[in-house]
Amino acid sequence: MSNLKLNKISVRAGIATIGVIGGFVSGYGVLVPYYIEKYSLDLEIGGRIFALTGFSGIIGVFIATYFVDKIKGAIAGSIGTIFVAIGMSFLVFAPTWNYVLVGVVIIGLSFGIAQVGISQLVVDVGGIEASRRANKNNIGFATASILIPALFGITLKSYYAYVLSLFVVLAVIIAVVFYSNTQGQLVHKPEETHKKSNHKSSIVLLLLGISAYVGLESAATGWIPSYLLAKGWSTSKASFGLSVFFISLLAIRLIILKYIDRLNFGLVTLLSVLCLIPALFLLYATDLYWLAIVLLGMSGGPVFSMAFAWVVKISPGNARITGFIFFSSISGSMIFPYLIGIYMNKYGAEYAPLLMMIPSGLALIFFLAGYRSTIQQLSA
């Protein structure tokens, strides 16, 4: 049995970790145009940030998935954050584009470790409280993803080094607070009911759905500003457009948090993904940009937290399941934004919403198949 003990301060520090680092990575959508201009890059070269973040993040996920139940919880939940601070320091002092990429790799690797460590530790409590904590993690992420890209859009050109240095300090503080308030160690011991169940096919399909959805969300985070710039928007207005996307994500996640014990995780996930494609079409085919961005955010808001809770619910006691979840999500965030960037560079940034329909459609297919598989197994 796990002897892990997280008090309220450590849980809040964990949520803050996901928020601050996740929000910073979401700010890449604003940082990429900044770097493209500063280093005279094209979209494909600038988009390598997303691919490198995803690839290094996958390695971090593998590392954390293996070690999360083998070392003290305080270390498992804080070591990634410390190395994120080191990676951010590279961005602060980077004299060339290659130094930026080194920093991005360190951040991606470390964020993968932090995501798995923090997420698995805070949901170890199990039950509906685990779902609430998972949703709070996503709320923290969405909140920071509203504020940080907007902050970058306003301050980068004049205060780049100062702003990024602030995040180095924040990451260190959060890591120290989590370490100081966490005791014990996680234990990997799946429940007997899970061992005897046959949810493997359902889990695989859900993980594929998560991968496709996160690929879409990462693509939206990374390329919405570039799409809006191609439509003639200013940098600050395009950055605010990204913030509106995350405000919409946050709003729906706050509603979900209140009613999470009454929701069917599978149905909410399916209905949300179903609404993504019309929102993307509206963004592409009309000039109702604000409405389309709001609808896109509201449609996507429930997906990750509901799918996360869905997978955890059918994998009770599995201390490594979040590692598989984040492997899937980071794989999607690595593949789809990079591929979309290649085709945007070839055909034009104005085709971004059409290209984002591909991961949206795949997510719908996989989640629908996963839902049918789950129902079949529960009724067997």
Side-chain angles (χ1 to χ4, degrees), residues 263-271 306 310 367 371:
L263 298 176
N264 181 307
F265 299 150
L267 284 177
V268 173
T269 302
L270 281 175
L271 291 173
M306 290 291 97
W310 187 358
F367 281 130
Y371 183 78

Side-chain angles (χ1 to χ4, degrees), residues 297-321:
M298 292 184 69
S299 300
V303 178
F304 184 80
S305 56
M306 290 291 97
F308 187 105
W310 187 358
V311 175
V312 170
K313 184 177 181 179
I314 61 176
S315 309
N318 190 330
R320 296 175 188 143
I321 193 64

